[in-house]
Amino acid sequence: MIRKSQLFNALFILGFPVFGFGTYYGLKGSISQGMIVSVAPFAAIVLIHLLDAAYRRDVRRALTTTGWLGMAYIGTLVLSQFVALRGGIPGVLMGNVLISCLLYLMPFAAAIVVCIHGRQNEDFDFGNVLFLGLSALLAINVLGYFGGVRAIGHAFEGRANLPFLRGIYTGAHLLSVWALMLLVRMRGAAQRPVATALALAALAIGFYLMLKINSRLSTLIFLLLAALFVTKAIKVARGLYTISLFTLPLLLSFSLLVYQVVSMPFFAAILGRVSKEDVTSFNGRSYIWEAIGNWLATDRTGLLFGNGYKGHYALRLYDPVAVLWGTDHSYNIHSHSTFAEVLVSQGIIGVVLLYVLFWKGFKHYRSEYLIGAAQAPVFAGLCYLLFIWQIDIFCYGTDLGHVILFSMLAPLCVRGPAGQGNLLK
């Protein structure tokens, strides 16, 4: 007989490759239909749980403060969609708004349900469930890529474009999170030579694809964090969270230093693209970030509560960038930064909520890592998100990083032990 926890675990793991297929289906045909496919397994988990709870008349308060903070942040995302709908932002329609709101909420709610049912088993390891889900998503992308499936999203000729993702850089981030988690899972490698050999082979394929994707910032952040975890210097590293808060201004301030680093023979050989203008402007992203800086310095309209989804278009922040990039409209330009997107769309309220959630996750998983608990690998993946959310849209809204981040937060949102597992060997 299949236990409910096993069913929920299986559906949650399946949710990640289905999310990837839904993204591909949406880009190929209807975006709204693709989002429905993406959210289906996560929504099924929540629906089955609610029906079961109603049948058993067992409705108990399970969320912690972290859970309510997560719901509050998602509430600001939902509200931003309706502000955009009222403001007449191009492409924002009622149907898409409702489906987007489901996609914001359901993966988080499903992860919480998995943890609620998993806490009944003292050996339950949510980190392992999450890792298997990411592995399944990566597997269909690798098979699709080598099988010749053409990527439909944001892609570049001659580089590795994983097909079942929204864009080429999403692939780099997925690979980085997965590889860092795998590195930590390889503790005690001497006792598991066969498993270690397979893990090393998987890491080699992952790193090959990472280099083929050729995302400079993603690769640099991955290599830095990988070095910290392999050498275990991460255990004594101080101020990592604080430093991550200033990733964006630090990059802008030290763009020439970044250029000097990627111009070194080793990085030039593996990255290839070392044009000074391209690197120092971060492929043109600095123009967007400077526009946001000017808004902060001179305007600040909607700074507290935000300007709604795609609020930059309501403010016409990126119109000069659109001219520079040779496009007629700026509503399809995004900030290339989750931090900047949240700041403009959801205001300081949204940014502060996200800061607090990252801090709670960082503090929890760092302690798990230091004691060698089964959830320790999640710490490595979260550290990557801690930096990349500042300089890429990966963790915003309906993108994959939002699903990963809020899945990582789920064990903190459930009262009682949730997903502790055993100590890593």
Side-chain angles (χ1 to χ4, degrees), residues 36-216:
I36 291 172
V37 171
S38 292
V39 80
F42 301 118
I45 291 173
V46 176
L47 181 60
I48 293 170
H49 171 72
L50 292 176
L51 290 173
D52 178 64
Y55 175 76
R56 292 185 294 108
R57 298 181 180 178
D58 181 18
V59 180
R60 288 176 288 184
R61 186 167 175 259
L63 291 185
T64 63
T65 301
T66 303
W68 290 113
L69 287 172
M71 291 297 181
Y73 170 77
I74 290 175
T76 67
L77 270 173
V78 170
L79 182 60
S80 73
Q81 283 280 340
F82 285 95
V83 171
L85 183 65
R86 187 184 64 182
I89 300 296
V92 180
L93 306 173
M94 178 58 78
N96 290 342
V97 165
L98 295 176
I99 298 168
S100 295
C101 292
L102 282 176
L103 206 49
Y104 295 154
L105 177 61
M106 285 299 133
F108 183 42
I112 290 174
V113 170
V114 170
C115 289
I116 288 173
H117 288 270
R119 66 183 173 181
Q120 301 168 9
N121 178 5
E122 63 179 14
D123 293 326
F124 172 67
D125 177 6
F126 180 76
N128 185 58
V129 174
L130 176 60
F131 180 77
L132 290 175
L134 296 178
S135 299
L137 173 58
L138 194 54
I140 68 164
N141 274 284
V142 172
L143 290 173
Y145 172 71
F146 286 111
V149 179
R150 187 177 68 86
I152 300 174
H154 181 234
F156 292 102
E157 191 68 33
R159 291 157 69 179
N161 301 287
L162 301 184
F164 301 110
L165 295 171
R166 179 171 293 183
I168 186 170
Y169 296 123
T170 303
H173 304 323
L174 171 62
L175 282 162
S176 296
V177 171
W178 174 84
L180 286 167
M181 291 179 69
L182 182 57
L183 281 173
V184 178
R185 287 170 64 90
M186 289 172 63
R187 285 182 179 181
Q191 288 75 39
R192 307 188 304 275
V194 175
T196 300
L198 292 174
L200 288 173
L203 279 172
I205 295 172
F207 192 61
Y208 165 77
L209 287 172
M210 205 180 297
L211 295 181
K212 287 284 289 181
I213 290 172
N214 200 228
S215 172
R216 292 167 299 205

Side-chain angles (χ1 to χ4, degrees), residues 14-42 99 103 137 140-141 152-153 163-167 398-400:
L14 179 66
F16 284 89
V18 171
F19 183 93
F21 178 76
T23 301
Y24 177 84
Y25 181 72
L27 291 170
K28 191 173 183 179
S30 167
I31 293 292
S32 58
Q33 290 178 5
M35 289 195 291
I36 291 172
V37 171
S38 292
V39 80
F42 301 118
I99 298 168
L103 206 49
L137 173 58
I140 68 164
N141 274 284
I152 300 174
F164 301 110
L165 295 171
R166 179 171 293 183
T398 58
D399 215 330
L400 176 62

Side-chain angles (χ1 to χ4, degrees), residues 330-412:
S330 63
Y331 58 82
N332 280 330
I333 298 177
H334 60 72
S335 304
H336 288 277
S337 164
T338 303
F339 164 80
E341 199 77 17
V342 171
L343 182 63
V344 175
S345 300
Q346 296 150 253
I348 290 176
I349 300 257
V351 168
V352 169
L353 284 170
L354 204 47
Y355 273 145
V356 173
L357 289 168
F358 263 113
W359 167 246
K360 284 182 171 289
F362 178 81
K363 184 179 178 182
H364 171 78
Y365 285 115
R366 186 174 188 275
S367 65
E368 294 288 294
Y369 177 81
L370 291 177
I371 65 173
Q375 290 189 75
V378 181
F379 179 57
L382 183 66
C383 283
Y384 180 83
L385 296 183
L386 202 60
F387 288 92
I388 211 64
W389 83 283
Q390 295 272 336
I391 55 176
D392 199 272
I393 201 70
F394 181 60
C395 294
Y396 181 76
T398 58
D399 215 330
L400 176 62
H402 174 88
V403 177
I404 296 173
L405 172 62
F406 279 85
S407 295
M408 289 177 171
L409 292 172
L412 288 70

Side-chain angles (χ1 to χ4, degrees), residues 282-299:
F282 302 102
N283 202 26
R285 297 174 189 175
S286 65
Y287 307 132
I288 295 175
W289 299 336
E290 287 167 4
I292 293 170
N294 291 334
W295 166 70
L296 281 172
T298 62
D299 187 350

